[in-house]
Amino acid sequence: MTFAADPASVLPSLALLSHRVRVLPMDAASLVKMPENTILFLDARDDLATAKTLCNLIRASGLSTPVLLILTEGGFTVVNSSWGIADVIVNSASPAEVEARLRIISEHSTGNDTVRTKSQQVSSHNDDGQIRSGELIVDTNGYTASLFGRPIDLAYKEFELLKYLVQHPGRVFTRAQLLQEVWGYDYYGGTRTVDVHIRRLRAKLGGEYEHLIGTVRNVGYRFDPPEGSEREAQAQEQAKQSSHSEQ
């Protein structure tokens, strides 16, 4: 995938390969709409400052999409590890080099799936339908939620919104995506509905815990698990594995 208007004009060799390429506008909202197992080609030949801003936004959004930065020879003097990219490639690279870099990035990303699951997906889902993230418990069977044992009085859509966010910790969703996933295709209200429900959710979580629902500027919202949730989730996972091994 690329943010360029014409992939062949940016990286000519890409047009000679069999990979499926989609073109996206070069803005923040497009980042969270990328399908899984995507490698993002980012055209940084003429505007390194904007490319760096987008790279920083990708990291801040918690997205795991690997970025392959397309540069001219002069750009190599500016880019460093702080950009958080998977690799860099010069725009005149041969088809063989492009294919090799794509293969290496793809294999590396697949190898990191297990680590990513443990480090980022820190909400645990029990067999009884309870999703636990720290002291926040969302009961998907009973349609109830509690924080530190205190019930949270939620309307139906508020509960559905909280449940969806907690099920995908650290992942950023646009307002349009949340509207589609929580309210459904047949809902004709605007995205402002999402903002209203987010405000209500934060108010009901209370001032000390409203930060659990984070805002990613110019993109959307995400659930930020409370501190200590990762250790708890890993402990529960280890307990499950020990139980299975004993059986």
Side-chain angles (χ1 to χ4, degrees), residues 171-224:
R171 180 176 173 184
V172 184
F173 295 96
T174 64
R175 293 166 177 82
Q177 285 176 315
L178 290 172
L179 200 65
Q180 174 182 305
E181 296 295 335
V182 177
W183 279 263
Y185 290 98
D186 56 347
Y187 182 77
Y188 295 100
T191 55
R192 178 172 170 76
T193 298
V194 176
D195 295 329
V196 171
H197 280 72
I198 290 289
R199 285 200 300 270
R200 291 175 180 169
L201 268 180
R202 285 172 171 163
K204 291 181 178 182
L205 288 171
E208 189 176 353
Y209 300 102
E210 63 180 5
H211 67 277
L212 296 180
I213 301 179
T215 299
V216 178
R217 191 175 180 181
N218 298 325
V219 183
Y221 300 105
R222 72 182 176 201
F223 177 72
D224 292 321

Side-chain angles (χ1 to χ4, degrees), residues 3-82:
F3 278 131
D6 179 11
S9 68
V10 180
L11 188 62
S13 294
L14 192 60
L16 303 176
L17 301 174
S18 60
H19 300 288
R20 181 182 178 185
V21 179
R22 289 179 56 194
V23 178
L24 294 177
M26 201 165 181
D27 56 49
S30 300
L31 296 176
V32 296
K33 298 179 181 179
M34 293 183 293
E36 294 183 1
N37 302 319
T38 294
I39 296 175
L40 174 63
F41 283 90
L42 184 55
D43 181 11
R45 298 172 303 158
D46 301 321
D47 192 348
L48 282 165
T50 299
K52 184 176 182 179
T53 299
L54 282 171
C55 288
N56 290 335
L57 185 57
I58 290 173
R59 288 204 317 276
S61 301
L63 298 174
S64 58
T65 304
V67 176
L68 181 54
L69 206 63
I70 304 174
L71 299 168
T72 59
E73 290 287 351
F76 282 89
T77 60
V78 178
V79 179
N80 55 49
S81 60
S82 68

Side-chain angles (χ1 to χ4, degrees), residues 14-157:
L14 192 60
L16 303 176
L17 301 174
S18 60
H19 300 288
R20 181 182 178 185
V21 179
R22 289 179 56 194
V23 178
L24 294 177
M26 201 165 181
D27 56 49
S30 300
L31 296 176
V32 296
K33 298 179 181 179
M34 293 183 293
E36 294 183 1
N37 302 319
T38 294
I39 296 175
L40 174 63
F41 283 90
L42 184 55
D43 181 11
R45 298 172 303 158
D46 301 321
D47 192 348
L48 282 165
T50 299
K52 184 176 182 179
T53 299
L54 282 171
C55 288
N56 290 335
L57 185 57
I58 290 173
R59 288 204 317 276
S61 301
L63 298 174
S64 58
T65 304
V67 176
L68 181 54
L69 206 63
I70 304 174
L71 299 168
T72 59
E73 290 287 351
F76 282 89
T77 60
V78 178
V79 179
N80 55 49
S81 60
S82 68
W83 288 47
I85 55 178
D87 203 351
V88 294
I89 192 168
V90 69
N91 60 312
S92 58
S94 68
E97 180 180 349
V98 174
E99 183 67 29
R101 291 183 185 273
L102 285 174
R103 184 174 64 253
I104 292 171
I105 292 174
S106 180
E107 291 173 352
H108 180 71
S109 298
T110 301
N112 282 340
D113 281 348
T114 302
V115 175
R116 188 175 300 120
T117 298
K118 290 182 179 179
S119 63
Q120 294 182 355
Q121 305 299 322
V122 297
S123 294
S124 61
H125 198 155
N126 298 331
D127 295 336
D128 58 2
Q130 288 190 348
I131 307 172
R132 182 185 294 272
S133 184
E135 294 299 325
L136 175 65
I137 300 176
V138 178
D139 186 346
T140 60
N141 292 333
Y143 284 86
T144 60
S146 63
L147 184 61
F148 284 95
R150 174 182 60 85
I152 307 173
D153 184 19
L154 299 176
Y156 176 73
K157 284 302 181 184

